[in-house]
Amino acid sequence: MSRRVVIVGAGPAGLAAAQAALAHGAHVTLLDEGERAGGQFWRHHDELTDRRMQHQWARFERLHAALERAGDHATVHRQASVWRIETEGGIRVHALVGPADAAARTGLTVEADALVIATGAHDRALPVPGWTLPGVVTAGAAQALAKRDGVTPGGRTVVAGAGPFLLPVAASIAIAGGEVAEVVEAVGLRRLVRGWGRSPWQLAGAAGKAGELAEYVGGLVRRRTPYRLGSAVTRIHGERAVEAVTVQRVDAHWRPIAGTERTVACDSVALGHGFTPRLEAAIQAGCRISSARFVEVDERQATSVAGIFAAGEVTGIAGADAALAEGEVAGFAAAGGTLDDARIAAVLRARRRLHAFADRLATHEVRRGWTAWLDDDTIICRCESVTRARIAEYADASSRGLRLATRAGLGACQGRTCGRTVEQLVAAPVDFDARPVLSSVRIGELAALAPNGGASTPSVGPEPSGSV
Amino acid sequence: MSVRIRVDGAEVVGRDGQTIAGVLIGAGRRSWRTAAGAERGVFCGIGVCQDCVLTVNGVEGVRACQRTARDGDTVERESR
């Protein structure tokens, strides 16, 4: 019987893992919460997505075709929310399958010989006074709305934060018909040049990526969109929705510089200050997490738990190309391949080159001084409307004490949006990402499942569709 | 192709295949929930933050950014 490889997440890492595992004789089960495969990078809808927003689309089509060609060797479950991973006495993945947040989805349990966790990352957006106003979205939301729905967050958007991701976001907004008022990058020119300019020969392997960035900058120039370095949106104004922002210069630690404030009229803001990995599945599976809060993996992309591999942004923020390479290694190893196999040599080399490129992203890492733009009454935990002052009051409490006293991290998103911010504000780890249930599940749905989660009945979900 | 949904009693037309958030934003509606007395709309857009939840066909807590709009869906504002 062939090895059963289960993959959670159908973004670049998960799809590459699936193809590699299939190529090495495994049976693959791919679970993804979206309606279509592709993850955030290849988020799409056949009629609504402007193709100019997609990169490496041919690669997506090849990976997709490999799944379709696989016939009985591959099972794809779309709209599958994985809510629990068990590792005692074998690996079992539990999911609920059906329309997002529906009241009665179907329970599904899949048993695995090897599991690849490719759950990706989501935006980190630093709070700023006014950031709960309608019209303020994350950079990823602006990208998703443009790619998936063909809409822009507003008519005139300020794109602000840190990192190269701001550039494709600005481009997508423009393609979808919106105006980008300014792109505001917290990193100053000197640090930008130092960070990206050192050892340029190491970037040679990522020439495609450099070309892509040049294309975005060219787009900004053509549309006469200002690209402000060493600046931040330090306040968002409006009554019932966004009306304007304050853009202010910041120092090397991202502390706002008094006297440099400018008001920019806009009706929406896209905030993105890097990404934070979606670790909950790996944590529940018992995988060791590094001090930098990523899943620890070895050369084979193997985690500290036997039979469990991880690839893509959960192992370090490195972009889609690195995720593709890591996924390929993970899928190959999960299917039983060994690294001395000549067939994997080129991918291992690519992964090394791409990690050198990814190291440059550290240039845009969040600096501590940003908290100076918060007011005492600025909301930090959006779900429970917990203010900065309230969190400061309990800064010395235990993680549990802080949560119980303030309710930060106890709302619907379970600290996914505020966790990293609270950690910075109290200057201590808060472990909001250790979550007993991995996704939103209704109590009624849980109650309807058998006490053992139906562990002995694999594949009770809907027929896997050919359209992934 | 278009899709028609009812939002707090009013008919809103979107493009077939859009999420409920896509339909609402496309129609110029950017807030559809009240939190601690203030307006909220979509924030993360990828199903993480839960800020965009609304009631769809009587079922509470549906993320507008994750649910594809179907013709005839009835959508109501939530408040908490």
Side-chain angles (χ1 to χ4, degrees), chain A residues 273-365:
Chain A
H273 300 87
F275 297 93
T276 192
R278 302 181 71 166
L279 292 178
E280 53 269 79
I283 290 173
Q284 185 167 89
C287 303
R288 196 156 55 230
I289 307 297
S290 71
S291 58
R293 303 302 288 170
F294 290 107
V295 183
E296 279 187 14
V297 289
D298 66 11
E299 282 288 293
R300 301 155 58 231
Q301 301 291 140
T303 71
S304 59
V305 178
I308 302 189
F309 300 79
E313 309 287 63
V314 282
T315 66
I317 305 301
D321 293 304
L324 284 162
E326 291 166 4
E328 201 169 335
V329 175
F332 175 82
T338 55
L339 295 195
D340 53 10
D341 191 316
R343 289 172 295 181
I344 201 73
V347 183
L348 295 175
R349 278 197 303 277
R351 187 180 60 178
R352 222 168 13 247
R353 277 200 311 272
L354 292 160
H355 283 170
F357 176 81
D359 288 344
R360 302 302 195 282
L361 291 172
T363 307
H364 303 270
E365 249 166 22

Side-chain angles (χ1 to χ4, degrees), chain A residues 35 101 148-149 267 382 442, chain B residues 17 19 30 51 60 68:
Chain A
E35 282 185 42
D101 303 326
R148 166 70 177 79
D149 294 292
D267 60 7
R382 299 171 63 99
R442 292 178 193 278
Chain B
T19 59
R30 293 197 290 159
D51 234 340
E60 289 179 16
T68 299

